[in-house]
Amino acid sequence: SYAAVRLDTRLGCWRNHVKAHPMLNVAIAFAVAPSIGVLLAALLIMPMFGEFSGWGLYFGFGLFFAYPCALVVGLPLYLIAKRLLGSLQVWHCILGGAVSTLPGLYFVLAPENTLYFQRTWLMNTTLALVTGAMSGAALWVVMRAMRSNPSIEATNNGG
């Protein structure tokens, strides 16, 4: 029908725009990846603490730290690594995601000097590093999916 062709034409223009502007791919990936990593971490935390009703609190608290860390540390790290290495492997993104959590860890853990902190710092640090690593892996998957999407390739090749 005419509406389907028109919608496909509009999507085709969007696909061409995304493919033509690689920085738009980076922006989309950095907008999506931290929330995926935090969501996976929140789902991991629930069984650990037995609080299935509190996943929203973990998710919201995680997002509060994940996005600033991703934008302040992760994005510059990604751009530098991309420039130096050319193409990035999944382990580059996983390592970059874990490294980008370090400033957030400092702000969360540094002011604490309580008994609770002394008992939980290792678990909190591990959880933050795993969350960053999952976000880095999600970044790589999102970037790869946008780069190798057959519909984008067909649109660009006139198919």
Side-chain angles (χ1 to χ4, degrees):
S1 76
Y2 174 74
V5 170
R6 187 171 178 181
L7 178 62
D8 188 50
T9 303
R10 287 186 180 175
L11 288 176
C13 292
W14 180 80
R15 288 181 190 134
N16 283 334
H17 186 70
V18 168
K19 189 68 174 181
H21 300 287
M23 287 308 291
L24 184 59
N25 289 353
V26 173
I28 292 170
F30 270 91
V32 173
S35 61
I36 293 172
V38 171
L39 178 63
L40 293 174
L43 294 174
L44 181 71
I45 289 174
M46 288 187 321
M48 287 173 53
F49 294 109
E51 290 187 32
F52 293 99
S53 62
W55 78 271
L57 178 65
Y58 296 127
F59 183 70
F61 185 72
L63 288 179
F64 182 74
F65 287 100
Y67 277 101
C69 287
L71 295 177
V72 171
V73 179
L75 183 59
L77 192 61
Y78 171 83
L79 295 173
I80 290 169
K82 184 77 172 162
R83 176 164 240 184
L84 292 175
L85 301 173
S87 83
L88 298 178
Q89 302 296 321
V90 67
W91 71 269
H92 294 123
C93 293
I94 290 172
L95 183 62
V99 167
S100 69
T101 63
L102 296 177
L105 270 173
Y106 176 76
F107 285 111
V108 170
L109 298 178
E112 299 292 327
N113 195 11
T114 63
L115 183 61
Y116 173 78
F117 167 74
Q118 293 170 2
R119 291 183 179 170
T120 62
W121 74 268
L122 183 60
M123 181 183 60
N124 289 335
T125 301
T126 303
L127 186 59
L129 292 173
V130 168
T131 302
M134 286 189 284
S135 295
L139 177 82
W140 185 82
V141 168
V142 170
M143 292 290 293
R144 183 130 175 123
M146 286 191 291
R147 186 180 72 213
S148 63
N149 188 341
S151 62
I152 294 174
E153 295 296 328
T155 304
N156 286 335
N157 295 332

